[in-house]
């Protein structure tokens, strides 16, 4: 098993930036990919971005050009740099880690973009 702890959420005005971090502990050597998903009130959880341990990335279309995911394998940490934030980016952001076919989730961190 792997345990995940997110940090970096908060309040920001439209156009602002935030950087989320997620540290993995436990069986972190078995992680083959990490990423972020988000869930807004009344909506389904959606993928934001995913990165493999080798550095390959994929993003949801609406995040391309605004969000950047990166990974520090030595620190077992994944980051999400979010720029040009919009009110519709308001959600709980969840970190996840893929160990083979098993996905583990963090507890989430709230991001609120307010006018």
């Amino acid at each position: 098993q792997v345990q995940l702890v997110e940090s970096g959420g908060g309040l920001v005005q439209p156009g602002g930036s935030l950087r989320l971090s997620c540290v993995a502990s436990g069986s972190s050597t078995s992680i083959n990919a990490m990423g972020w998903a988000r869930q807004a009130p009344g909506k389904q959880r959606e993928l934001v971005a995913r990165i493999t341990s080798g550095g390959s990335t994929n993003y949801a279309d609406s995040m391309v050009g605004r969000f950047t995911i990166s990974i520090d394998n030595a620190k077992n940490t994944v980051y999400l740099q979010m720029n040009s934030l919009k009110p519709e980016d308001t959600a709980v952001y969840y970190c996840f880690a893929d160990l083979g076919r098993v996905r583990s989730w963090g507890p989430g961190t709230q991001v609120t973009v307010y006018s």
Side-chain angles (χ1 to χ4, degrees):
Q1 286 190 339
V2 62
Q3 292 77 45
L4 303 169
V5 178
E6 304 101 334
S7 60
L11 298 172
V12 64
Q13 291 186 325
S17 298
L18 283 175
R19 188 193 195 206
L20 305 182
S21 301
C22 174
V23 180
S25 61
S27 302
S28 56
T29 56
S30 301
I31 295 173
N32 52 278
M34 296 183 72
W36 296 89
R38 70 185 185 184
Q39 188 165 17
K43 295 187 177 181
Q44 290 188 331
R45 190 173 298 189
E46 62 174 347
L47 175 72
V48 174
R50 182 178 183 267
I51 184 168
T52 69
S53 57
S56 297
T57 60
N58 63 285
Y59 295 88
D61 289 344
S62 62
M63 287 65 163
V64 173
R66 298 192 301 125
F67 292 5
T68 302
I69 191 170
S70 60
I71 193 167
D72 185 333
N73 290 313
K75 296 182 179 179
N76 298 319
T77 301
V78 65
Y79 305 95
L80 185 69
Q81 177 66 44
M82 305 186 293
N83 299 327
S84 302
L85 283 162
K86 306 174 182 180
E88 51 264 42
D89 294 318
T90 295
V92 178
Y93 284 70
Y94 297 92
C95 172
F96 64 83
D98 293 336
L99 290 78
R101 295 185 176 185
V102 177
R103 177 165 286 180
S104 298
W105 293 93
T109 184
Q110 177 70 46
V111 171
T112 302
V113 185
Y114 69 100
S115 299

